[in-house]
Amino acid sequence: MNQSALLRPDWTPATIALMVLGFVVFWPLGLAMLAYIIFGERLRGFKRDANSTADSFFAGCRRSRDRYRPHFTTGNVAFDDWRKAELDRIEEERRKLDEMREEFDNYMRELRRAKDQEEFDRFMRDRRNAKRDDNGPVAEFQTP
């Protein structure tokens, strides 16, 4: 058994022992372990949502900074033109990468949905087949 299986966010003997030990040593540690046990499954989604929110916030800050702050000029027009062209090219590449990441996220979401649907369909098919194989409850003998 690997370590990640021992510390999954569930009521396992290891997590309960860590929670009790945390309360004995320093109560906030026990409270943190209790929160991990209860809300641990949601942490992955929360982290993804927080990261995407922070990314979009800072991307907005970057765009607004460029909009309101005059570009620094060196006095050399040729260099400034080249620099502006390169920055525009890089920003275009960043936009393309963001679009590709969004497309891939959508693809993965649909792939997971299709996999879940296939598993659900298999479950329902197996369940239906199990009911057909079962003759149902035994009918009681009735006298004429």
Side-chain angles (χ1 to χ4, degrees):
M1 182 179 286
N2 60 18
Q3 186 178 16
S4 65
L6 289 174
L7 293 179
R8 67 184 184 274
D10 199 5
W11 294 99
T12 63
T15 56
I16 293 171
L18 283 173
M19 180 184 63
V20 170
L21 183 66
F23 276 116
V24 169
V25 173
F26 185 57
W27 69 267
L29 293 176
L31 197 60
M33 192 63 199
L34 179 63
Y36 174 71
I37 291 170
I38 295 172
F39 302 110
E41 291 294 326
R42 298 183 215 166
L43 288 177
R44 184 172 294 127
F46 174 75
K47 181 181 175 190
R48 183 183 59 246
D49 293 344
N51 284 341
S52 66
T53 302
D55 287 347
S56 64
F57 173 76
F58 287 116
C61 289
R62 188 171 37 251
R63 284 189 299 269
S64 67
R65 181 196 68 205
D66 292 343
R67 198 175 310 134
Y68 297 115
R69 192 182 95 192
H71 291 288
F72 174 74
T73 60
T74 61
N76 186 326
V77 176
F79 177 77
D80 289 342
D81 289 343
W82 172 82
R83 180 175 176 262
K84 183 179 179 326
E86 286 297 307
L87 289 174
D88 290 343
R89 183 186 61 80
I90 291 170
E91 189 60 37
E92 179 65 22
E93 288 294 319
R94 181 188 322 259
R95 188 188 59 75
K96 287 179 185 176
L97 286 173
D98 287 343
E99 287 174 0
M100 282 191 265
R101 185 188 69 210
E102 184 65 31
E103 289 174 12
F104 182 73
D105 289 345
N106 290 337
Y107 172 77
M108 290 302 294
R109 192 176 309 113
E110 285 300 314
L111 195 62
R112 281 188 215 104
R113 191 193 70 67
K115 180 183 173 215
D116 291 346
Q117 184 67 46
E118 189 271 329
E119 289 174 353
F120 176 74
D121 292 343
R122 185 177 342 122
F123 167 75
M124 292 303 286
R125 187 174 48 248
D126 292 347
R127 187 168 178 243
R128 259 186 269 122
N129 291 340
K131 283 187 178 180
R132 284 188 198 141
D133 294 341
D134 186 16
N135 293 333
V138 176
E140 292 188 26
F141 180 76
Q142 298 177 356
T143 56

